[in-house]
Amino acid sequence: MQQLKTAVAVFCIACVCAELVGQLLGDVWGRQCIKAAAGLYILVAFFHALPEIRAGILPFTSPDLPAASFGSVEETILLQAEASLSAQLEEQISHETGLTVSVAVDLQSSQSGIRAAQVELSAGSETNSQQRSTIETLLCSELDLDDSAIYWAGQAEGG
C-alpha cells in the first residue's frame, strides 16, 4: 500500500511540475512529455505494487447486473414531442378561449409518420358544454382528429 501512496505522490508532483514548466516557459510540448512520463510511471508502479494483477490471479470480470431500460431513442423523442405538443396546445387553448385546460396528447408512430392518436383533457368544473365543444373543435382542426379521439377526464363526455 505504501508503494501505491508513493506512486500517487510522485504522479501529483510530476503534474505540478509539468504545469509549472508550461506556465513559465509556455512550452506545451514539454508539459505533455512530463505528464506522459508521469502517467507511464504510475502505471508501472501499480503493476509492481499489485502482484495479483501481474500474476493474473485476479482476472477482471464484469459485474452481472441487469441492464437498465430507458427505451429507444425514438421512444424518448416521441415522449418529448408529446410533452412539448401538450404544453403548446394548453397555451393555445388558454390564449384563444381564456380557459385553463390540461392537455395530454398521445402520439403514435406509423408507416406514414407520427400522428396524434388521442387527446385527454382535464378542466375545472366551471367549463360548460359549449366551452368544451369549442376546445374540441380547436383540437380537431389542429391535430386532424375526429371527436371520438378526445376524452375529458373526470367529466361526462359530450355533455
Side-chain angles (χ1 to χ4, degrees):
M1 189 61 163
Q2 185 60 33
Q3 290 176 342
L4 290 178
K5 289 180 182 178
T6 304
V8 169
V10 170
F11 180 72
C12 291
I13 291 171
C15 287
V16 169
C17 291
E19 284 300 316
L20 286 174
V21 167
Q23 294 295 325
L24 294 174
L25 301 177
D27 185 18
V28 176
W29 186 81
R31 179 175 27 182
Q32 290 174 345
C33 286
I34 292 172
K35 283 189 176 185
L40 288 174
Y41 168 77
I42 200 159
L43 287 176
V44 169
F46 276 128
F47 182 72
H48 287 290
L50 301 172
E52 297 89 30
I53 293 176
R54 184 175 53 201
I57 296 171
L58 296 175
F60 176 76
T61 58
S62 62
D64 187 25
L65 299 173
S69 176
F70 296 108
S72 67
V73 175
E74 291 83 11
E75 291 170 345
T76 304
I77 292 171
L78 196 60
L79 288 174
Q80 181 62 37
E82 286 177 352
S84 178
L85 181 60
S86 296
Q88 182 182 7
L89 289 171
E90 286 174 3
E91 184 178 318
Q92 185 176 355
I93 290 169
S94 175
H95 177 61
E96 292 186 19
T97 65
L99 298 171
T100 302
V101 177
S102 177
V103 179
V105 179
D106 180 29
L107 297 176
Q108 289 184 347
S109 181
S110 65
Q111 293 293 339
S112 60
I114 296 174
R115 65 174 198 80
Q118 74 178 30
V119 178
E120 184 174 333
L121 301 168
S122 178
S125 59
E126 68 276 357
T127 58
N128 58 38
S129 60
Q130 177 61 32
Q131 292 169 326
R132 286 188 283 162
S133 176
T134 303
I135 293 170
E136 289 175 5
T137 304
L138 174 73
L139 290 174
C140 287
S141 67
E142 288 293 322
L143 300 174
D144 193 27
L145 288 173
D146 55 53
D147 292 352
S148 64
I150 299 176
Y151 302 96
W152 288 91
Q155 295 180 10
E157 294 181 26

